[in-house]
Amino acid sequence: MSADTAQRPVLVVDFGAQYAQLIARRVREAGVYSEIVPHTASAADIAEKNPVALILSGGPSSVYEEGAPALDGDIFDLGVPTLGICYGFQVMARALGGEVANTGLREYGATDAVLAGSGGVLLGGQPDTQNVWMSHGDQVARAPEGFEVLASTADTPVAAFGSAEKRFYGVQWHPEVKHSDHGQEVIENFLHKAAGLASDWNSGNVIEEQVARIREQVGSARVISALSGGVDSAVSTALVHKAIGDQLTAVFVDHGLLRKGEREQVEQDYVASTGVRLITVDAADTFLGHLKGVSDPEQKRKIIGREFIRAFEKVQLDLVTEAKAEGEPIKFLVQGTLYPDVVESGGGTGTANIKSHHNVGGLPEDLDFELIEPLRTLFKDEVRQIGRDLGLPEAIVGRQPFPGPGLGIRIVGEVTADRLEILREADAIAREELTKAGLDNEIWQCPVVLLADVRSVGVQGDGRTYGHPIVLRPVSSEDAMTADWTRLPYDVLSKISNRITNSVRDVNRVVLDVTSKPPGTIEWE
């Protein structure tokens, strides 16, 4: 979805904020479509996107620093309703004739903000005193002429301001984070009351628009999709299939590193719900053969990626030959690229050839396909909703993120068939107990790791054992860029531990990883 469609965006101007993506998510939660653009965008760039509103993000810099992120001042002459947040609030104040100063007074974390009068359109109807999340050293010392001060704190006299005439508003705090008690109300007041925007963006709009776009792009050509069984590839494949039906063939490579029941889930439940034509490549023996004796995680990743390419290439050649014989060549490849992938790669525009950083498994550049990326403007939670609306099974749509190399990078040590079986059973138990406890929606994912190169002493059945430890890594996150370990109930942890140590052979210890990201990553390898 882009500005050349009927759905005009709210543009989030990114000044290097860690929360820019979160702001865009909050706007979408309010039923309004949003996109992120860099602060280097010119007024002409912004005007070309025809935005309905602008939100200027926070950032780590001081507006006075040499080389600090700046904004084309002509943007404020476009007549577009604008909300400044933290650094963006200060940029707006300076550009419009206000004063920003470093008074030596800093505010970090929870702070009480007090409304001035009614709080105006932005803060009206909210408590006179509310808890907000601050993170600033500089502050707006004087609001621009014609602006009304809407809130203050003990150390910041101008903590929020607004001009109803210009439809320009700003807050020093971060309304996008949940630590600000009425933060979402601030964002929604700006969108709905100040900018006059309706809550009319939803998954149904996305499906309808993407179906039309895919049909126009593809015409009568054939399309293939690399289906991993994960949420992103499952939803993108289903969406393309809704658009073009049997012109699409999905390819599922079973590398032998899947979790318990995943192949059956794809071949049975997914195919039954979508009707997609599926080709399964059984390559487990090939993958395990090349992984024999390899313990280094980076080497494992490279081997798995390389063998995936080879397996996919073979099917691709067969399909291309078949398509040529039928007179309709294969020109397109479906990828489940999401909006965070686009933003983190510099807002990439997509190319006609597949690059190694794409999420199909590192396919080579000489596979000459044009990409179809129907999810590239969406976040993970939005993708899940699209999948539900398309009728995909909840077991697929609601599943935890799973790495492309699969269980191969959840075994610390050499990957063998025996070790894979141990890990599959332990992983299945953990997932089953989390589901029973109703915790699936409270965690982002729970990698289960086998420390295959580690053994510890235990006592089982009145005998001494020397088994492997299993690590549970439950984490909570919104986008996987940062994460914290999930405080699971002790009784759930106890059930998981007891079942694993009682029923999974060669495992006599279960441990809990309580490391946040950073410093740790979500996966171990």
Side-chain angles (χ1 to χ4, degrees), residues 80-221:
V80 179
T82 303
L83 172 67
I85 293 175
C86 194
Y87 184 87
F89 171 58
Q90 296 171 8
V91 167
M92 175 188 285
R94 264 189 108 191
L96 298 176
E99 181 184 348
V100 178
N102 188 331
T103 64
L105 298 174
R106 300 166 178 262
E107 290 178 314
Y108 295 101
T111 307
D112 283 337
V114 180
L115 270 56
S118 68
V121 169
L122 195 66
L123 307 177
Q126 299 174 27
D128 291 340
T129 300
Q130 57 183 274
N131 186 266
V132 300
W133 193 258
M134 290 284 198
S135 181
H136 69 101
D138 298 338
Q139 61 179 255
V140 176
R142 178 174 52 83
E145 185 177 348
F147 279 67
E148 177 186 3
V149 176
L150 303 178
S152 62
T153 71
D155 292 325
T156 305
V158 185
F161 62 41
S163 168
E165 178 185 354
K166 294 179 178 292
R167 295 190 294 175
F168 287 172
Y169 297 87
V171 293
Q172 182 60 69
W173 64 86
H174 287 275
E176 71 273 21
V177 303
K178 293 182 179 178
H179 304 294
S180 292
D181 289 346
H182 297 273
Q184 186 64 13
E185 291 177 49
V186 172
I187 292 172
E188 292 184 3
N189 281 348
F190 168 71
L191 297 171
H192 303 319
K193 296 180 179 179
L197 305 178
S199 298
D200 58 3
W201 185 79
N202 53 55
S203 58
N205 295 345
V206 176
I207 293 172
E208 181 180 347
E209 179 175 343
Q210 286 301 324
V211 164
R213 175 172 291 187
I214 292 164
R215 287 172 178 166
E216 181 180 359
Q217 180 183 6
V218 170
S220 61

Side-chain angles (χ1 to χ4, degrees), residues 308-318 363-364 366-367:
F308 179 91
I309 291 168
R310 290 176 176 171
F312 192 86
E313 280 180 322
K314 185 179 184 306
V315 176
Q316 176 251 343
L317 290 173
D318 292 342
L363 297 180
D366 58 1
L367 285 183

